[in-house]
Amino acid sequence: MFNYFLLSLILVFALPQDVTKAQNDQPGFISIDCGLQGPNYTDTDISDMYYTSDTGFVDSGVSRSVSSVYVSDSDITQQLKTLRYFPEGSRNCYTLRPVQGKEGRYLIRARFMYGNYDGLNQPPTFDLYIGLQYWETVTITADTLVARREIIHSPSSEYINVCLVKTSPGIPFITTLELRPLPAEMYETKVPVPRGSLNLFFRFNMNASEDYYIRFNDDTYDRFWTASNLTDTIQLSTERPIVSNIFAPPQLVMSTALTPTNTSDGRLRISWVTNITDKFFLYLHFAELELLAPNQSRTFDIIINGIPWYRGLTPTYLSTNTIYDTEPLPSNTTNEVELVKTANSTLLPLLNAIELYALIEFPLQETQDGDVAAMLSIKSTYNLIQNWQGDPCGPESFQWIGVNCSANDDSNAPRITSLNLSSKKLVGSIAPAIFELKALRTLDLSNNNLGGTVPEFLAELQSLTVLKLKGNNFSQPFPQQLLNKANSGTLTFEYDNSSDDVCHSESCNNKKKKKSIVVPIAAAVGGVLFIICASLLAFFIIRSRKPKGMQFQILS
Ligand SMILES: *[C@@H]1O[C@H](CO)[C@@H](O)[C@H](O)[C@H]1NC(C)=O
Ligand SMILES: *[C@@H]1O[C@H](CO)[C@@H](O)[C@H](O)[C@H]1NC(C)=O
Ligand SMILES: *[C@@H]1O[C@H](CO)[C@@H](O)[C@H](O)[C@H]1NC(C)=O
Ligand SMILES: *[C@@H]1O[C@H](CO)[C@@H](O)[C@H](O)[C@H]1NC(C)=O
Ligand SMILES: *[C@@H]1O[C@H](CO)[C@@H](O)[C@H](O)[C@H]1NC(C)=O
Ligand SMILES: *[C@@H]1O[C@H](CO)[C@@H](O)[C@H](O)[C@H]1NC(C)=O
Ligand SMILES: *[C@@H]1O[C@H](CO)[C@@H](O)[C@H](O)[C@H]1NC(C)=O
Ligand SMILES: *[C@@H]1O[C@H](CO)[C@@H](O)[C@H](O)[C@H]1NC(C)=O
Ligand SMILES: *[C@@H]1O[C@H](CO)[C@@H](O)[C@H](O)[C@H]1NC(C)=O
Ligand SMILES: *[C@@H]1O[C@H](CO)[C@@H](O)[C@H](O)[C@H]1NC(C)=O
Ligand SMILES: *[C@@H]1O[C@H](CO)[C@@H](O)[C@H](O)[C@H]1NC(C)=O
Ligand SMILES: *[C@@H]1O[C@H](CO)[C@@H](O)[C@H](O)[C@H]1NC(C)=O
């Protein structure tokens, strides 16, 4: 076990050709300032990030500003001053459709600042989901604490749903939602199927002299690096550039490091406490910042919970070395990383930055992309709201009203097998997107105000065995193929024969009486759901502006 442990470890050296990115390069970034009412804007405060409103990403909830006390506080960045809260429904979702689709790997970050927006002084608790998978519980404890949840995720669908689920009397809300594409090789893990994502536990920039965090533009990928101070350490720093590697920790992060004071026992220690079931991935970033004399050396071992993890590391001068493992660390409740100098090293160990992630597995597949696209199109054609948010097929308690799906097993994404839109006051014609629901077995559109011709494609849906169109105003004749299927018994087809002069049905009579009624499109505002975030062991930040302090829970 011990050998295996060491063998899978990887030391990544610097890439010689470090490409410097253009300052305002934000390719594929999605930066949502939830609840924003004013124009989209570039936040010149710290990040130069372009924030947009949540239009088009969510269709429920209410926009609000935080309490006026905080709105006028210039220490609070603009994107924290508005939020969207969800008084209706138990699940509410934002749907993101990133450019690289499901081939991509993304950093997804949600932030929550309560700011006493409702004047009740009762910060809520609620759950956060990504698609069908529980992500974290968000617990807000004070007005200006910013709860932050961040995950590195490879989706199984083109559509990434970030959902807020109500779990207590408190009302879920969200302040910002951000997505950043990452290179596929970054944070690679050998997690067997079902695939896993990396939930941020902490990410520290070892810098004793400042307490703000670093993000874009310093970090090309807009990771947040929280400055951390360990006891009995002194800071090393350099003004000189440091060669980067695939993990691309920012220059500013790599240019400082902590090393033990000479009065300590010479070890650098970082520890954390967790649930024994958690599986962790650790990333340590090093660069030698001092030009060592020929008779000097800095070599150290990395020990985790008393077991050597990496032996004899000598950080390269002004060049980034990252140590990580594609397999998770052995589980333990109390964990400690120690950097211990080797016997003949003349200098004590140093550490520039550290990242720790807990594995979240995504055993459930999301609905097949084509079916999702079709459902979103149908939703928009008929202006249906109901609880139509997040993944159409689930989880079970959140399945879209009127939708039935095939089973969710490991090998196949669920398909939509039944669509029942009877009595939904639908107007217009049969939505062409229905033809894209290739696994549809039952379609019930009865008792609406649909008209026009019955499209021939319905006869081409191979799996369709039940088709109910009664109580509408379709023109005749119906496609012959459809009638043939009905006659041969392969399709149960229910319809009104309007070419009949004699009206047999009540709905037919009704139609005749109310000739040209304009039916407003009204979708039942049923369960509307979305979710936002939870509070992990990660960090609470008080305010986000550079000069101000932040608070985080870590290092025991
Ligand atoms: C702001 O951004 C949203 C989301 O991308 C977009 O829908 C909206 O049109 C933008 N508004 C303006 C005024 O550009
Ligand atoms: C870290 O330390 C250096 C040097 O002490 C300082 O100039 C820099 O601004 C600090 N800030 C951060 C966030 O690392
Ligand atoms: C870091 O810790 C040292 C000693 O523990 C202390 O002197 C120093 O002020 C701390 N720096 C910050 C920014 O908290
Ligand atoms: C520790 O370092 C200080 C200055 O950096 C030095 O004066 C002192 O002698 C050192 N102590 C030991 C035990 O090396
Ligand atoms: C640890 O995690 C498991 C599974 O997620 C959970 O059932 C259990 O309650 C957790 N224990 C603690 C102490 O949080
Ligand atoms: C290293 O060499 C320098 C002179 O070049 C000397 O002053 C110093 O004491 C030596 N240090 C050690 C640890 O031998
Ligand atoms: C947890 O770590 C301690 C040392 O910190 C070690 O003694 C113990 O065996 C570890 N437990 C497991 C389950 O690995
Ligand atoms: C340190 O000691 C080991 C043997 O214990 C030796 O192989 C190595 O070359 C030494 N390194 C230095 C920098 O002296
Ligand atoms: C979905 O399937 C279940 C059982 O398979 C059935 O009871 C239910 O009526 C179906 N719902 C719809 C909307 O077709
Ligand atoms: C569709 O839903 C309606 C009412 O919700 C129900 O009466 C009807 O039987 C359903 N149709 C099918 C095919 O299950
Ligand atoms: C409609 O009714 C007429 C007369 O009853 C019948 O001839 C015709 O076949 C019916 N059409 C369909 C599509 O069932
Ligand atoms: C039914 O459709 C015909 C044209 O196809 C139209 O003249 C009539 O007004 C429609 N009836 C209702 C009730 O919508």
Side-chain angles (χ1 to χ4, degrees), residues 231-234 259-267 346-348:
T231 53
D232 296 325
T233 54
I234 49 173
T259 187
T261 55
N262 60 5
T263 51
S264 68
D265 67 358
R267 298 183 172 207
T346 64
L347 296 169
L348 294 176

Coordinates of all heavy atoms in Angstrom, one line a residue, residues 231-234 259-267 346-348:
T231 N 1.5 29.5 12.3 CA 2.3 30.0 13.5 C 3.7 29.6 13.4 O 4.0 28.6 12.7 CB 1.7 29.5 14.8 OG1 1.6 28.0 14.7 CG2 0.3 30.1 15.1
D232 N 4.6 30.3 14.0 CA 6.0 30.0 14.1 C 6.6 29.9 12.7 O 7.4 29.0 12.4 CB 6.3 28.7 14.8 CG 5.9 28.8 16.3 OD1 6.1 29.9 16.8 OD2 5.5 27.9 16.9
T233 N 6.2 30.8 11.8 CA 6.8 30.8 10.5 C 7.3 32.2 10.1 O 6.9 33.2 10.8 CB 5.8 30.4 9.4 OG1 4.7 31.3 9.5 CG2 5.4 29.0 9.5
I234 N 8.2 32.3 9.2 CA 8.6 33.5 8.6 C 8.4 33.5 7.1 O 8.3 32.4 6.5 CB 10.0 33.9 8.9 CG1 11.0 32.7 8.6 CG2 10.2 34.4 10.4 CD1 12.4 33.1 8.8
T259 N 8.4 29.5 5.8 CA 9.3 28.6 6.3 C 9.3 28.7 7.8 O 9.0 29.7 8.4 CB 10.7 28.9 5.7 OG1 11.6 27.8 6.0 CG2 11.3 30.2 6.1
P260 N 9.6 27.6 8.5 CA 9.6 27.6 10.0 C 10.6 28.6 10.6 O 11.7 28.8 10.0 CB 9.9 26.2 10.4 CG 9.6 25.3 9.2 CD 9.9 26.2 8.0
T261 N 10.3 29.1 11.7 CA 11.3 30.0 12.4 C 12.4 29.0 13.0 O 12.1 27.8 13.2 CB 10.7 30.7 13.6 OG1 10.0 29.8 14.4 CG2 9.6 31.8 13.1
N262 N 13.5 29.6 13.2 CA 14.6 28.7 13.7 C 14.4 28.3 15.2 O 15.1 27.5 15.7 CB 16.0 29.3 13.5 CG 16.1 30.7 14.1 OD1 15.3 31.1 14.9 ND2 17.3 31.3 13.9
T263 N 13.3 28.9 15.8 CA 13.0 28.5 17.2 C 12.0 27.4 17.3 O 11.8 26.9 18.3 CB 12.5 29.7 18.0 OG1 11.4 30.3 17.2 CG2 13.5 30.8 18.2
S264 N 11.4 27.1 16.2 CA 10.4 26.0 16.2 C 11.2 24.7 16.0 O 12.4 24.6 16.0 CB 9.5 26.2 15.0 OG 10.2 26.0 13.8
D265 N 10.4 23.6 15.9 CA 11.1 22.3 15.7 C 11.5 22.1 14.2 O 11.8 21.0 13.8 CB 10.2 21.2 16.2 CG 8.9 21.0 15.4 OD1 8.7 21.8 14.4 OD2 8.2 20.1 15.7
G266 N 11.3 23.1 13.4 CA 11.8 23.0 12.0 C 10.9 22.4 11.1 O 11.2 22.1 9.9
R267 N 9.7 22.1 11.5 CA 8.7 21.4 10.6 C 7.6 22.4 10.3 O 7.2 23.2 11.1 CB 8.1 20.2 11.3 CG 9.1 19.2 11.6 CD 8.4 17.9 12.2 NE 9.5 16.9 12.3 CZ 9.2 15.6 12.3 NH1 8.0 15.1 12.3 NH2 10.2 14.7 12.4
T346 N 20.7 22.0 4.7 CA 21.1 23.1 5.6 C 19.9 24.1 5.9 O 20.0 24.8 6.9 CB 22.3 23.9 5.0 OG1 21.8 24.5 3.8 CG2 23.5 23.0 4.7
L347 N 18.9 24.1 5.1 CA 17.8 25.0 5.2 C 16.5 24.2 5.6 O 16.3 23.1 5.2 CB 17.6 25.8 4.0 CG 18.8 26.7 3.6 CD1 18.6 27.3 2.2 CD2 19.0 27.8 4.6
L348 N 15.6 25.0 6.2 CA 14.3 24.4 6.6 C 13.4 24.4 5.4 O 13.6 25.1 4.4 CB 13.7 25.2 7.7 CG 14.5 25.1 9.0 CD1 13.9 26.1 10.1 CD2 14.6 23.7 9.6

